[in-house]
Amino acid sequence: MFGRFKKTSELEKLQKQYKKLMADWHKLSATNRGESDKKYAEAQAVMDKIEQLKQA
C-alpha cells in the first residue's frame, strides 16, 4: 500500500533507462546498424553511471 508513494532512486531510474536502451538496441540491430551502435553506446554510458553509483 505504501509502495505507491515511494520515490524512485537515481539508481532505479538509470536501470530502467538502461533496460529501455538495450531493448531499442536489440530491435535496431536487425534493421539499422548505425542507429543500433548509437543506442548501444548510450546504454554503455548509462551502465557506467550505474557502476559509479553502486561503488559510492
Side-chain angles (χ1 to χ4, degrees):
M1 180 171 146
F2 294 106
R4 183 181 310 178
F5 301 109
K6 179 183 171 203
K7 292 185 179 185
T8 56
S9 69
E10 184 69 22
L11 182 62
E12 290 170 334
K13 288 178 186 178
L14 287 172
Q15 288 173 334
K16 186 175 181 180
Q17 182 182 5
Y18 177 77
K19 187 175 181 179
K20 182 185 181 312
L21 285 169
M22 289 304 285
D24 291 344
W25 165 73
H26 189 285
K27 288 177 189 174
L28 286 169
S29 67
T31 58
N32 189 340
R33 184 65 182 188
E35 289 297 316
S36 170
D37 290 344
K38 288 180 187 177
K39 289 292 182 182
Y40 188 78
E42 288 178 41
Q44 286 303 107
V46 171
M47 180 54 77
D48 291 341
K49 291 178 186 177
I50 290 171
E51 293 294 325
Q52 289 175 353
L53 283 177
K54 285 184 176 181
Q55 290 179 356

